[in-house]
Amino acid sequence: MGVAQLWKTLRDAGCVQDFAGATLDVPRDVDGKVVAVDASVWIMEASQQANLQGVIYGTNARIAKVVLERTLNWLRYGVVPILVLDGVPPEAKLGRLQQRHALLTGKPAAGWMPRKRSAETGWLAPCNRTITSLMHSLGLPVVQAPGEAEAMCAALNAAGLVDAVQTKDVDALLFGATTVYRSLHLQ
């Protein structure tokens, strides 16, 4: 859900390092790192890529393409991504889920409600199965969060099981993540 303007507030207070446009050797700095990825971010970005919609038909196929390309690119730079899938979302997130449903399906969000509040039967379940199969084929683990993925990513980071979290959701900081990459584009 996020706290409005928290990223900006943290940046203004000097608590966030912003490397946009910097001449750092980011690939060297992340080599050998294990990063928990909030998969919902990659899913939403993939579903919104207009240039893929006319070429790759089917939302799951577009998502699989983007996840595969990003995973392989990260592996080329020595970064091991651990994708974390959303579990059962809290009731308070229903409005956001309606927006995501509308973006992914092209159907109006008004009045739409998840049929079952379960990670295995929700509207993202086919996508999650595709991602899980793809990652397992590459020999990489996938974590099914019991609730929100950014909370699980933060818990993995706070416990020292991963080096960082990649998510655009500032909630990861509130859940205890110590290192968050808001975006990590390796090229």
Side-chain angles (χ1 to χ4, degrees), residues 12-29:
D12 292 348
C15 299
V16 173
Q17 291 178 313
D18 190 349
F19 297 118
T23 56
L24 301 172
D25 191 356
V26 174
R28 186 195 69 224
D29 293 339

Side-chain angles (χ1 to χ4, degrees), residues 6-171:
L6 185 56
W7 283 121
K8 182 183 180 322
T9 302
L10 292 171
R11 191 176 306 109
D12 292 348
C15 299
V16 173
Q17 291 178 313
D18 190 349
F19 297 118
T23 56
L24 301 172
D25 191 356
V26 174
R28 186 195 69 224
D29 293 339
V30 297
D31 185 25
K33 302 284 190 220
V34 177
V35 179
V37 177
D38 179 353
S40 65
V41 173
W42 285 11
I43 290 168
M44 291 309 299
E45 289 174 349
S47 67
Q48 295 174 16
Q49 288 189 14
N51 59 336
L52 292 180
Q53 291 177 1
V55 180
I56 300 175
Y57 299 101
T59 302
N60 281 349
R62 286 191 298 272
I63 291 167
K65 177 197 181 300
V66 169
V67 168
L68 177 63
E69 286 179 346
R70 288 183 183 181
T71 299
L72 292 176
N73 192 45
W74 281 30
L75 290 170
R76 280 186 200 102
Y77 284 98
V79 180
V80 178
I82 308 294
L83 268 68
V84 180
L85 305 172
D86 275 322
V88 178
E91 288 289 331
K93 205 168 184 176
L94 182 59
R96 186 74 160 151
L97 289 175
Q98 288 175 330
Q99 290 174 342
R100 285 184 185 167
H101 176 74
L103 283 171
L104 284 172
T105 65
K107 297 176 184 173
W112 176 82
M113 295 280 288
R115 283 176 285 162
K116 288 189 175 181
R117 296 182 57 74
S118 163
E120 292 81 28
T121 60
W123 58 275
L124 272 179
C127 175
N128 288 348
R129 285 191 294 272
T130 299
I131 289 172
T132 300
S133 176
L134 177 64
M135 296 302 282
H136 286 171
S137 295
L138 295 170
L140 297 170
V142 173
V143 175
Q144 176 65 62
E148 297 185 79
E150 65 272 14
M152 178 59 77
C153 289
L156 292 169
N157 185 225
L161 298 172
V162 298
D163 298 299
V165 171
Q166 195 274 311
T167 184
K168 291 186 178 182
D169 196 330
V170 73
D171 286 355

